[in-house]
């Protein structure tokens, strides 16, 4: 269990990212932060809501900068477009941005992905810092250097690897998150726990009610352990080979559900929760022990997921077939083998998937018992 803010290091091909995570990070990271931005021109990329809710908390931290230029992007996924990026690059050039300028991405994963992309391309790359304010961004999106914007309907299609110099994950920022956002992000925590960290899985099972309620004392050790789990995967596999693709557990069907339902009815994490429930069926057919599958189903039943709207299995099959992560020769599924261990399974026949899917869609929600 962690107590108070932790200072961690993530090693990657371009160097080292220092990661502060926990309660009281804003204070604990002050010396590193100050050193990084003193006398620099700093671009603060954020959204109106985050600035209104938490802007004051970081104003003082930014004070040692020579100048702070605030760049505002729209809320949520709308931030991730070439149009927004183009507008903000123009503002950066007009304000005299140089190679030694700094950028701070302050917001959820959308702002983080946009900010990293802005920093990665601006004058062929400037240093940036991730200040994630959502649970998803703290446990996942801010770590690993993946940056991107969307192009047309294709998510994350234009981007690059560009690691932040610093990540500051302050648990206090999560206090204003809508409960639905917390729940969706906790589904991704369950994903990492099941595949990578059996102890984390136990904590989530024990404290789920407190976590769903946003209790900071319960969130702190879970955010720290999840961030560590993600960092271990990134260090083993910085450029997203097979190791990192393990984190796609639940995402094959999850993405297809999001596309079929139009990104409106379900949050990403909720779609992933359904995706995990489905993948469990394929996993059980390949030897995953029933008690492990039941354990995950019981846990996800406590999430009180919104009902799945009617959706056509053929459409889902078609969408999964054109997934950008599909390898030639068919889809690769990530399936749990045991609690704490997952595997890529390349050779599942589409007929089997189609059959299971039809069955699954008849009664997708587990019942809590
Ligand atoms: N780069 C990666 O490795 C990676 C990994 C996972 C996800 N992602 C990306 O992350 C994005 C999703 O991120 P997200 O789930 O953080 O959502 P988000 O960034 O879209 O934020 C959701 C909403 O919450 C608001 N918000 C942010 N912080 C808040 C706070 N503290 N209190 C109240 N409201 C707050 C935002 O303004 C926004 O309106 C997707 O675009 C996804 O592709 C990237
Ligand atoms: Zn995800």
């Amino acid at each position: 269990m962690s107590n108070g803010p932790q200072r961690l290091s993530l090693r990657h091909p371009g160097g080292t990212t220092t990661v502060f995570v926990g309660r009281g990070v804003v204070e604990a990271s002050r010396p590193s932060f100050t050193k990084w931005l003193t006398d620099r021109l700093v671009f603060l990329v954020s959204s109106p809501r985050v600035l209104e809710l938490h802007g004051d908390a970081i104003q003082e931290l930014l004070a040692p900068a020579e100048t702070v230029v605030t760049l505002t992007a729209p809320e949520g996924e709308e931030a991730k477009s070439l149009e927004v990026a183009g507008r903000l690059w123009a503002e950066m050039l007009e304000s005299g941005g140089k190679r030694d300028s700094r950028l701070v991405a302050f917001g959820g994963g959308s702002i983080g992905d946009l900010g990293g992309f802005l920093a990665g391309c601006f004058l062929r790359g400037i240093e940036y810092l991730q200040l994630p304010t959502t649970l998803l961004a703290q446990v996942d999106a801010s770590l690993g250097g993946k940056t991107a914007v969307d192009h047309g309907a294709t998510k994350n299609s234009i981007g690059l690897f560009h690691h932040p110099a610093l990540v500051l994950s302050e648990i206090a920022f999560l206090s204003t998150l809508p409960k639905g956002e917390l729940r969706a992000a906790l589904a991704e925590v369950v994903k990492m726990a099941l595949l990578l960290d059996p102890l984390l899985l136990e904590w989530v099972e024990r404290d789920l009610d407190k976590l769903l309620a946003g209790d900071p004392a319960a969130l702190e050790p879970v955010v720290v352990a999840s961030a560590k789990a993600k960092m271990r995967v990134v260090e083993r596999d910085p450029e997203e080979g097979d190791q990192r693709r393990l984190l796609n557990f639940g995402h094959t069907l999850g993405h297809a559900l999001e596309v079929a339902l139009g990104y409106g009815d379900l949050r990403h994490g909720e779609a992933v929760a359904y995706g995990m429930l489905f993948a469990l069926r394929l996993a059980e057919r390949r030897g995953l022990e029933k008690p492990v599958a039941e354990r995950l189903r019981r846990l996800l039943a406590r999430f009180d997921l919104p009902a799945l709207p009617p959706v056509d299995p053929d459409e889902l099959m078609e969408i999964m077939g054109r997934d950008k992560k599909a390898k030639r020769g068919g889809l690769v599924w990530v399936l749990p083998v045991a609690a704490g261990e997952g595997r890529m399974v390349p050779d599942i026949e589409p007929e089997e998937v189609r059959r299971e899917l039809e069955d699954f869609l008849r009664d997708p929600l587990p019942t809590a018992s």
Side-chain angles (χ1 to χ4, degrees):
M1 283 267 181
S2 60
N3 244 326
Q6 304 226 341
R7 181 194 173 117
L8 312 167
S9 292
L10 191 161
R11 280 173 301 278
H12 54 79
T16 302
T17 299
T18 302
V19 179
F20 288 88
V21 51
R23 289 186 287 172
V25 154
V26 168
E27 272 315 308
S29 63
R30 188 181 292 272
S32 305
F33 199 112
T34 302
K35 192 163 154 231
W36 184 76
L37 54 65
T38 295
D39 297 336
R40 308 270 181 169
L41 168 57
V42 175
F43 297 107
L44 176 65
V45 181
S46 193
S47 72
R49 185 178 310 161
V50 171
L51 285 173
E52 192 188 321
L53 288 169
H54 299 292
D56 288 351
I58 66 152
Q59 278 318 320
E60 203 199 324
L61 270 182
L62 293 169
E66 186 185 72
T67 314
V68 178
V69 174
T70 302
L71 305 173
T72 312
E75 297 295 331
E77 196 69 25
E78 269 182 58
K80 290 174 58 174
S81 77
L82 282 172
E83 194 193 332
V84 172
R87 171 170 66 77
L88 299 184
W89 279 321
E91 287 185 39
M92 290 165 78
L93 287 170
E94 277 159 26
S95 335
K98 297 194 290 289
R99 292 257 13 228
D100 68 353
S101 303
R102 306 289 204 220
L103 186 147
V104 174
F106 182 41
S110 301
I111 291 291
D113 279 9
L114 170 74
F117 180 67
L118 289 172
C121 299
F122 188 70
L123 305 178
R124 298 199 186 84
I126 62 171
E127 284 191 22
Y128 76 114
L129 177 150
Q130 291 279 15
L131 245 168
T133 60
T134 64
L135 180 57
L136 183 82
Q138 296 192 353
V139 298
D140 189 355
S142 65
L143 301 161
K146 278 192 347 182
T147 84
V149 295
D150 307 330
H151 193 270
T154 320
K155 277 197 65 176
N156 298 325
S157 42
I158 313 288
L160 71 162
F161 282 95
H162 184 51
H163 285 270
L166 287 161
V167 178
L168 311 186
S169 287
E170 171 62 70
I171 304 283
F173 291 143
L174 305 182
S175 63
T176 51
L177 262 191
K179 296 294 177 272
E181 294 288 331
L182 268 180
R183 180 180 59 200
L186 281 166
E188 299 261 12
V189 169
V190 168
K191 170 198 79 177
M192 289 200 271
L194 182 79
L195 294 180
L196 303 165
D197 187 343
L199 190 60
L200 174 59
L201 189 61
E202 282 175 28
W203 291 349
V204 175
E205 282 171 320
R206 190 194 60 201
D207 285 345
L208 186 66
D209 299 334
K210 290 183 195 160
L211 294 167
L212 288 167
D215 176 347
L219 279 166
E220 182 174 54
V222 165
V223 174
V224 171
S226 306
K228 283 183 178 168
K230 168 91 195 246
M231 286 163 66
R232 281 197 302 273
V233 172
V234 171
E235 285 191 339
R236 283 204 300 265
D237 180 9
E239 304 264 289
E240 189 151 75
D242 282 357
Q243 279 290 319
R244 196 146 161 192
R245 288 179 58 183
L246 271 184
L247 298 178
N248 286 331
F249 174 46
H251 283 62
T252 309
L253 181 64
H255 279 311
L257 285 170
E258 288 185 286
V259 173
L261 298 170
Y263 292 102
D265 288 334
L266 283 184
R267 289 187 168 88
H268 172 72
E270 293 163 349
V272 170
Y274 277 111
M276 290 191 285
L277 287 168
F278 176 66
L280 279 182
R281 300 169 76 105
L282 300 177
E284 275 181 287
R285 294 210 177 277
R286 279 158 187 78
L288 176 70
E289 289 175 14
K290 200 162 178 60
V292 180
E294 282 303 322
R295 192 173 157 195
L296 194 70
R297 273 196 277 270
R298 267 200 308 278
L299 181 58
L300 289 173
R302 291 166 63 197
F303 273 64
D304 210 6
L305 292 170
L308 194 60
V311 49
D312 176 7
D314 288 322
E315 188 185 353
L316 293 174
M317 290 299 293
E318 197 267 316
I319 297 167
M320 287 193 279
R322 56 179 147 96
D323 189 312
K324 74 174 187 288
K325 287 174 179 127
K327 280 208 170 140
R328 216 177 304 161
L331 276 177
V332 179
W333 288 83
V334 179
L335 301 180
V337 184
E341 194 189 341
R343 187 182 298 158
M344 323 278 298
V345 183
D347 52 1
I348 304 183
E349 292 294 326
E351 295 71 40
E352 179 188 343
V353 177
R354 171 73 175 72
R355 235 183 3 256
E356 285 290 342
L357 192 54
E358 205 168 332
D359 219 28
F360 172 73
L361 290 172
R362 260 184 239 122
D363 185 20
L365 264 188
T367 42
S369 57

